[in-house]
Amino acid sequence: MSSSSSSSSGGGGGGGVARVYRGAFAHSTRDSALRVLTDCVLGVNARGKESEFYTGSVEVRVTNDRHSEFFMPGMVDTHIHASQYAYSGTHLDLPLLDWLNIYTFPLESRYEDLDFAKDAYTKVVKRTLRNGTTTACYFATIHTEASLLLGEITDYFGQRALIGKVCMDLNPMVPEYKELTEESKEETDRFITELLRKKYALVKPIVTPRFAMSCSSALLSNLGKTARNNDLHIQSHISENKQEVQFVKALFPECKSYTDVYVKHGLLTSKTVMAHGCHLTDEELETFHEKGAALSHCPNSNISLISGLLNVRNVLNHKVKLGLGTDVAGGYSSSMLDAIRKAVDTSKALCIQDAQLQPLSYKEAFRLATLGGSEVLSLDDCLGNFEVGKDFDALRVNVGVPGSPIDVFPGDDLEVLLEKFLNLGDDRNIVEVYVAGKRVVPLPDSK
Ligand code: XAN
């Protein structure tokens, strides 16, 4: 791409036009948690793909050259319950299993009502986009129509997403919120077929058994087959809470561990993302590594529901793919910036207990929220950083925007600006969001 042939004034968003972006860039690479590039030009072709970095003199028209601005990759939320957004920020006074029975299952039952679903799903997609989540891995509910609606809404607003219709045929405490085994299989097939038939460019289905406690062995096996036959992603929960781990042991006595339950049912693959994993053993982490399966670290939820503290360093040492998740609404914040902060805080809390541990740095947490998330979803060939050939999923951040929660001082370099943004910033600082080269924030209706 040559600078003169491709430069074109942007501003309105939309694909189909080649652009160049000038200014400062911060991203992670395979070898480095943080690489910063100042006074650079990134070419993005008409298909939204990053085509080249230039330094030196290039003629450009789309710019970010204020001292307080930089581009960073869009953030990847590897675990978020879109349906639970309706009560996020509340109902945080119970541990997991009571929290599910008393608050979550009754709320999720309401998504049979498509008006209710439309309102909640529109709000969560808009909110997460404004917070800089360019890719979201969503749990919906057991309702096929509402789950399809979530797909339609993410497509409309231009967010990249994996959408899971939740599967569950066991629910002894709230029996009105579950499916028959056959129904769950058939509705999953219908959901997958109908979502794929829409041919959304950035929205795909993900097979979603809720967790081992709410699925029979027959359902788990069938979902494993469905994922394999259609080469689909899989998401679920694992080893979040000690009581849950004990229940799963009792429910599946023939399996040697919680991880083994998913292995035996064909659900632990290189396209699987399991949320939490706070209480996984080293042997289970080795199995994750062998299978190429990934973990979503959800530190806000782990603390809010008093579930456990994931030892991120141990997961990384086992070379298990790892990303961050907000886990709305067990996690009370829908912002990946909060997930970054809580991930660092959790690792520091573990260091208080064990001085031998190395805390997570802000740079490592930045990597988990961007490139790490793309690896978790096996999408690192097309997003996660500014490598040539990948889609331009990016945030234009301005730490000095009017009303900013951040103060900038002389001598603050790009690394300092990024660290301040990650620790102190919010959606006021995210002035533009791009997904696959298309500008999606500011939102179409500016709300
Ligand atoms: N396990 C879960 N954990 C969680 O944090 N949120 C949920 O909705 C859920 N379901 C099973």
Side-chain angles (χ1 to χ4, degrees):
M1 187 198 73
S2 87
S3 57
S4 53
S5 66
S6 64
S7 58
S8 153
S9 157
V17 183
R19 297 207 171 85
V20 289
Y21 296 88
R22 186 179 78 189
F25 294 79
H27 71 157
S28 302
T29 63
R30 213 159 284 283
D31 311 323
S32 169
L34 177 62
R35 274 202 69 205
V36 295
L37 301 121
T38 49
D39 199 16
C40 247
V41 173
L42 177 65
V44 176
N45 71 20
R47 287 176 297 117
K49 304 242 176 244
E50 292 145 7
S51 43
E52 204 150 339
F53 263 123
Y54 295 95
T55 49
S57 61
V58 182
E59 189 193 317
V60 240
R61 293 191 216 142
V62 178
T63 65
N64 127 19
D65 58 356
R66 284 184 218 128
H67 168 63
S68 59
E69 286 196 4
F70 60 89
F71 288 104
M72 63 171 269
M75 292 184 278
V76 181
D77 189 340
T78 57
H79 185 74
I80 170 166
H81 293 262
S83 51
Q84 296 171 16
Y85 183 69
Y87 67 89
S88 61
T90 67
H91 298 338
L92 297 163
D93 55 344
L94 291 174
L96 176 69
L97 301 181
D98 292 338
W99 176 85
L100 286 171
N101 292 330
I102 292 173
Y103 301 133
T104 302
F105 295 149
L107 181 280
E108 288 193 15
S109 316
R110 296 188 62 187
Y111 283 75
E112 206 173 348
D113 174 349
L114 290 179
D115 290 334
F116 181 78
K118 185 174 182 192
D119 181 49
Y121 287 158
T122 301
K123 284 178 173 145
V124 70
V125 171
K126 288 167 77 169
R127 177 67 60 194
T128 53
L129 274 175
R130 279 197 303 245
N131 284 340
T133 300
T134 47
T135 300
C137 190
Y138 283 120
F139 271 62
T141 62
I142 64 173
H143 310 98
T144 305
E145 291 308 321
S147 304
L148 289 167
L149 184 59
L150 176 58
E152 189 183 325
I153 292 167
T154 48
D155 175 69
Y156 174 79
F157 285 102
Q159 190 173 47
R160 193 188 296 275
L162 291 171
I163 311 279
K165 181 208 102 57
V166 172
C167 298
M168 48 192 288
D169 62 346
L170 301 176
N171 196 353
M173 301 303 282
V174 188
E176 61 276 21
Y177 185 60
K178 68 168 186 174
E179 308 157 285
L180 300 173
T181 310
E182 273 309 307
E183 181 192 8
S184 187
K185 295 174 188 172
E186 285 166 13
E187 285 298 295
T188 298
D189 289 345
R190 183 165 82 85
F191 170 73
I192 293 165
T193 306
E194 295 207 6
L195 193 67
L196 290 175
R197 194 180 295 147
K198 305 277 183 194
K199 298 203 184 313
Y200 298 136
L202 305 174
V203 180
K204 303 285 174 234
I206 177 166
V207 174
T208 305
R210 180 167 212 123
F211 68 154
M213 274 186 69
S214 57
C215 297
S216 65
S217 185
L219 179 58
L220 290 175
S221 293
N222 188 275
L223 295 175
K225 276 192 208 117
T226 299
R228 190 174 59 247
N229 294 342
N230 299 285
D231 189 25
L232 292 177
H233 286 81
I234 298 166
Q235 64 178 347
S236 192
H237 300 86
I238 195 166
S239 294
E240 175 174 1
N241 160 298
K242 284 190 179 161
Q243 204 189 6
E244 170 209 4
V245 177
Q246 291 310 317
F247 270 115
V248 171
K249 206 180 242 176
L251 285 168
F252 296 90
E254 69 287 6
C255 296
K256 64 177 193 236
S257 66
Y258 201 155
T259 300
D260 197 36
V261 174
Y262 292 129
V263 172
K264 289 236 156 68
H265 293 93
L267 289 162
L268 205 77
T269 74
S270 60
K271 290 175 89 171
T272 296
V273 50
M274 288 286 167
H276 303 287
C278 303
H279 305 290
L280 290 172
T281 62
D282 284 352
E283 198 183 330
E284 289 179 280
L285 288 173
E286 281 157 26
T287 305
F288 265 75
H289 173 68
E290 280 160 24
K291 297 279 180 189
L295 275 176
S296 170
H297 178 27
C298 305
N300 186 320
S301 165
N302 291 342
I303 294 167
S304 293
L305 302 184
I306 321 176
S307 298
L309 301 174
L310 178 72
N311 185 337
V312 165
R313 189 61 64 202
N314 194 37
V315 175
L316 292 173
N317 287 343
H318 279 86
K319 301 202 180 328
V320 173
K321 292 188 289 185
L322 183 67
L324 300 182
T326 59
D327 194 22
V328 164
Y332 56 76
S333 170
S334 62
S335 168
M336 284 294 291
L337 292 172
D338 172 84
I340 288 173
R341 294 165 199 163
K342 296 281 190 305
V344 172
D345 291 351
T346 295
S347 84
K348 288 178 177 168
L350 285 167
C351 291
I352 295 170
Q353 293 168 3
D354 177 358
Q356 305 298 320
L357 273 178
Q358 189 68 23
L360 199 67
S361 67
Y362 85 87
K363 294 179 186 177
E364 289 176 298
F366 171 70
R367 185 187 191 286
L368 293 180
T370 54
L371 188 59
S374 74
E375 291 166 353
V376 162
L377 302 182
S378 301
L379 294 173
D380 48 315
D381 56 335
C382 76
L383 56 123
N385 64 10
F386 293 124
E387 262 168 35
V388 169
K390 292 194 181 186
D391 284 6
F392 185 62
D393 285 14
L395 315 184
R396 182 158 69 87
V397 175
N398 183 354
V399 290
V401 79
S404 174
I406 303 168
D407 285 308
V408 183
F409 292 85
D412 283 357
D413 64 13
L414 181 51
E415 288 200 19
V416 170
L417 296 184
L418 175 69
E419 189 175 3
K420 285 188 171 184
F421 169 64
L422 297 179
N423 283 317
L424 303 170
D426 61 30
D427 59 340
R428 288 169 287 185
N429 302 109
I430 300 173
V431 292
E432 285 184 331
V433 177
Y434 292 84
V435 180
K438 178 175 177 212
R439 196 179 73 168
V440 296
V441 170
L443 294 166
D445 56 3
S446 305
K447 280 186 226 143

